Amino acid sequence: MNKEKEEIKKKIAVIYCRVSTQDQADKGLSIEEQERLCKEKAEQAGYSILAIIKDEGKSGGSLKRAGMQQLMKLSIEKKIDAVFTVHSDRIARNTENYLYLRALFRNNDVELFFIQLPNLDDSAGSKMMDSMFAIVNQYQRDITSDKVTMTMEGKARLGYFPALAPLGYKNITRLDPTVERAGQKIVVKDPEVAPLVKKGFELYATGNFSVYDITDILYEKGLRTKYGKKLTYSRLYDVLRNPFYIGEVHWGKVHLKEGKHEHLMDKELFYSVQRLLTMKNGHLCRRRKYQWLLSGFLRCHTHQCRYTAEYHLNKRIGYYHCTNRNGCGKYVEVNKLESMIEDKFKEIEFSQKFIDLVIEKVKSVFYERRKLYDDKRKSLINQKTVFELKRKSAEDKLLANVITDDDFRRIKEEINEELESLNKRTIELEKERRINMDVAQEVLNLSRNIYDTYSKAPHNLKRHLLAFFWEKFEIKDEVIIKSYPSLLFAELLKLEQAFYKKPNRENPYESKGFSTIINSTALSSR
Ligand SMILES: [Zn+2]
């Protein structure tokens, strides 16, 4: 939907209902009842209802439910403004999926409404802890994959493609001691597939065939995906756009005109295809936005619409601003707003009881995992000893003239291979153990000093932490005038497991009429 229509038309909502087989057995809220409650609420709030999506007899543990998939699709395609459901547990049962969905909705400007308030039992505390672990775990995995990315970039910088070979090529390992280490695993032309890929380019270059035609033709000629299927239209489109075929290597921040792999076609053919593609699909040009830290979290108080950000003044300074077409005329410097938000974390604190619970939980998770690693490590050491004994025995047999020279060499090679793989697994295990330690440390830091953890966190962890505590912030006259806690955080506030300290009088924003309305019910307990 385009923006002009959005402003005239009523906001659009979808109703989502789910019952599991267990719910049905327990006589929980029936699907009809869920539908009725949501409809009522959505209509009261002035939404027009696009669809009522139902998942019957489906568990909330996975997102692979037909209805949920439909809901996610509608959100991503930006066809809806809101989702109404009776309770957060209808959309997801576990925290990781829940946080994932929340982020997905937020990034697509979809608001989430629940009919029933979350249950005020102690499970809020454990849910919160689960989310803390989920976030920190995710973050540690990201760091690890960043390291992998860096080695891959290093390889790309040397001109070698570091990942699964593009269509028409295959990955091989060559054991050539004269070649540098990064050049041992390389991609080479696949003699069966390469001519078909080239054929695809030649056909497209004639201008007589569409991308659809070509997928059919190549399929007839025997081109298959890894799974024996016909190439999809979008995959072929990517293939036709890939400059790897004329020798270029693009990986992360690495962009080389001339890699170390063989070309699959000449530049003339490649560029004539590019010209045709641009002519036909110019309007489809995909652009990727820079991910601003606060995007999705800010709303204009006056217009009730979202803020966006962009660079001004020769790209030196970024500004967040209201997206309303008439606009507020207010641009807030990125750094200013981001540090205001950072300050909000100074005002959050967990109760001592909650911190104690977290410490207990961290301990038990940590010890449990550590025992698992110790067991795995012992088992690896035992296996290693067995192979070392085998090697000794082979040596003895060789010296006793029981086996031939060739047999000995073969056995020795096999054993060395096994030992090498065991060593690799030991290193992997050590890495896991270190992550476990880091996770424990981070979770403890987070519970003890939220502001400190947030202010030192890198961009992606910051986004996680923001989503963890906050739903959104409303901005007016360059000031945050309303802060909405996340559901989990709101629950903890109600349970007095977390506190939100009122900003003190010296706060520079306070003097401009700064008031924090934090979901009044959530604060009434203070
Ligand atoms: Zn505005």
Side-chain angles (χ1 to χ4, degrees):
M1 147 152 334
N2 60 41
K3 290 277 163 204
E4 284 81 49
K5 270 188 195 162
E6 206 173 53
E7 278 172 18
I8 310 159
K9 269 177 132 179
K10 261 182 161 184
K11 286 201 167 189
I12 293 169
V14 156
I15 285 168
Y16 180 77
C17 314
R18 179 181 69 80
V19 285
S20 66
T21 33
Q22 189 61 40
D23 294 330
Q24 284 161 336
D26 296 346
K27 300 217 161 53
L29 218 49
S30 73
I31 216 147
E32 293 77 21
E33 189 61 7
Q34 293 182 26
E35 181 184 333
R36 193 187 62 75
L37 288 167
C38 293
K39 238 176 154 170
E40 198 179 273
K41 186 92 165 193
E43 280 161 3
Q44 267 173 20
Y47 282 88
S48 73
I49 296 164
L50 175 73
I52 293 160
I53 299 178
K54 297 173 188 175
D55 274 322
E56 287 185 75
K58 294 281 159 30
S59 129
S62 142
L63 297 178
K64 286 183 188 145
R65 297 164 242 154
M68 178 49 73
Q69 292 296 319
Q70 194 194 343
L71 177 59
M72 287 160 69
K73 193 162 173 271
L74 286 170
S75 310
I76 292 165
E77 291 170 350
K78 300 197 188 293
K79 293 200 170 130
I80 53 174
D81 303 299
V83 177
F84 284 80
T85 190
V86 283
H87 190 279
S88 65
D89 68 7
R90 294 301 91 191
I91 59 164
R93 274 271 180 210
N94 68 51
T95 316
E96 235 173 318
N97 285 346
Y98 177 66
L99 291 174
Y100 169 77
L101 284 173
R102 281 249 319 270
L104 182 133
F105 291 143
R106 178 179 308 108
N107 291 337
N108 293 292
D109 282 322
V110 176
E111 280 205 84
L112 194 52
F113 292 100
F114 302 117
I115 310 305
Q116 294 175 338
L117 281 172
N119 294 328
L120 289 184
D121 58 25
D122 238 356
S123 74
S126 64
K127 252 199 243 164
M128 186 79 168
M129 271 187 275
D130 286 346
S131 343
M132 285 167 69
F133 274 95
I135 288 167
V136 176
N137 257 319
Q138 179 60 51
Y139 164 63
Q140 294 293 346
R141 277 199 295 273
D142 287 351
I143 297 186
T144 317
S145 74
D146 278 353
K147 280 181 193 151
V148 174
T149 313
M150 269 158 63
T151 30
M152 287 173 115
E153 277 190 6
K155 189 169 171 177
R157 208 160 280 129
L158 292 169
Y160 300 106
F161 191 69
L164 198 63
L167 190 73
Y169 289 82
K170 57 183 180 182
N171 298 82
I172 61 154
T173 305
R174 51 178 173 180
L175 295 165
D176 184 348
T178 62
V179 178
E180 57 193 327
R181 199 163 149 266
Q184 296 294 346
K185 287 187 175 156
I186 53 168
V187 299
V188 295
K189 259 200 243 179
D190 182 332
E192 316 229 309
V193 188
L196 293 173
V197 172
K198 192 176 174 197
K199 187 80 199 166
F201 276 84
E202 287 164 353
L203 288 171
Y204 195 82
T206 64
N208 299 327
F209 300 93
S210 73
V211 177
Y212 293 101
D213 299 333
I214 296 173
T215 56
D216 288 340
I217 296 170
L218 293 180
Y219 183 74
E220 276 164 30
K221 290 188 181 290
L223 186 68
R224 298 286 184 276
T225 68
K226 223 173 20 180
Y227 307 104
K229 296 256 171 64
K230 187 159 87 176
L231 229 59
T232 60
Y233 156 76
S234 69
R235 175 89 193 277
L236 181 64
Y237 186 85
D238 288 342
V239 165
L240 293 174
R241 279 287 193 201
N242 193 351
F244 186 82
Y245 298 117
I246 49 165
E248 296 184 18
V249 172
H250 299 271
W251 189 265
K253 297 186 197 84
V254 179
H255 303 284
L256 293 182
K257 277 283 165 209
E258 206 48 65
K260 289 208 166 84
H261 60 278
E262 254 184 295
H263 297 201
L264 206 144
M265 66 196 62
D266 55 46
K267 290 186 177 165
E268 207 176 315
L269 173 60
F270 182 80
Y271 285 119
S272 63
V273 167
Q274 301 318 300
R275 275 190 299 273
L276 277 172
L277 281 169
T278 311
M279 258 162 58
K280 293 191 179 170
N281 297 297
H283 59 289
L284 279 179
C285 150
R286 283 174 269 181
R287 259 186 305 166
R288 215 156 267 188
K289 273 201 304 186
Y290 174 78
Q291 173 77 285
W292 297 90
L293 179 62
L294 299 177
S295 67
F297 285 98
L298 305 175
R299 294 211 161 236
C300 170
H301 178 71
T302 316
H303 298 102
Q304 283 301 313
C305 62
R306 113 195 126 78
Y307 264 55
T308 188
E310 63 194 67
Y311 278 116
H312 280 246
L313 300 173
N314 308 324
K315 286 206 153 208
R316 271 204 309 269
I317 306 170
Y319 291 90
Y320 286 104
H321 61 91
C322 170
T323 50
N324 184 282
R325 271 191 309 162
N326 305 321
C328 305
K330 295 281 181 198
Y331 281 69
V332 194
E333 228 180 88
V334 163
N335 289 342
K336 184 180 170 190
L337 200 46
E338 287 181 0
S339 75
M340 269 158 62
I341 299 287
E342 188 169 303
D343 283 342
K344 306 266 340 154
F345 284 84
K346 277 185 191 159
E347 296 154 12
I348 307 173
E349 201 172 73
F350 288 125
S351 73
Q352 189 54 47
K353 190 178 157 216
F354 184 77
I355 295 175
D356 292 343
L357 279 172
V358 171
I359 294 173
E360 275 313 302
K361 168 111 182 184
V362 167
K363 268 191 198 161
S364 77
V365 170
F366 180 72
Y367 287 133
E368 191 186 306
R369 286 191 193 166
R370 195 168 70 175
K371 183 164 181 321
L372 210 71
Y373 299 136
D374 284 348
D375 291 348
K376 276 193 197 163
R377 206 168 154 259
K378 269 180 208 146
S379 142
L380 285 175
I381 292 171
N382 289 343
Q383 291 177 53
K384 242 169 113 172
T385 315
V386 170
F387 283 112
E388 277 161 4
L389 284 175
K390 272 192 188 161
R391 188 163 60 186
K392 265 187 199 161
S393 141
E395 286 163 1
D396 292 345
K397 281 179 188 159
L398 178 75
L399 294 175
N401 235 342
V402 183
I403 52 170
T404 66
D405 218 37
D406 276 351
D407 281 344
F408 175 71
R409 200 168 295 132
R410 183 179 50 79
I411 295 169
K412 199 178 76 179
E413 241 166 56
E414 276 170 20
I415 292 173
N416 283 347
E417 234 168 72
E418 291 288 349
L419 284 172
E420 202 185 314
S421 108
L422 286 171
N423 281 338
K424 265 190 202 153
R425 278 160 66 193
T426 314
I427 293 168
E428 283 299 308
L429 201 63
E430 179 53 31
K431 206 157 69 189
E432 263 182 62
R433 200 187 64 82
R434 231 177 32 229
I435 290 181
N436 185 33
M437 184 68 231
D438 293 344
V439 168
Q441 211 182 347
E442 279 294 327
V443 172
L444 287 179
N445 280 347
L446 173 59
S447 65
R448 286 180 179 137
N449 194 339
I450 299 160
Y451 171 73
D452 191 55
T453 306
Y454 179 80
S455 63
K456 287 179 187 157
H459 184 90
N460 63 344
L461 181 56
K462 273 202 169 95
R463 299 247 334 150
H464 281 308
L465 291 170
L466 275 166
F468 187 53
F469 288 101
W470 306 105
E471 191 70 48
K472 60 183 176 195
F473 302 97
E474 276 183 20
I475 312 294
K476 191 187 178 187
D477 296 335
E478 302 189 31
V479 173
I480 305 164
I481 65 157
K482 246 181 174 181
S483 318
Y484 295 83
S486 72
L487 270 174
L488 275 174
F489 184 36
E491 281 180 61
L492 283 190
L493 288 166
K494 282 183 196 166
L495 293 168
E496 302 195 354
Q497 296 298 342
F499 301 107
Y500 186 84
K501 294 173 286 179
K502 273 200 155 185
N504 64 45
R505 291 283 145 195
E506 278 93 55
N507 189 314
Y509 312 114
E510 180 82 359
S511 53
K512 288 194 199 168
F514 175 85
S515 72
T516 303
I517 306 158
I518 192 176
N519 191 334
S520 55
T521 44
L523 266 191
S524 59
S525 59
R526 280 227 67 193

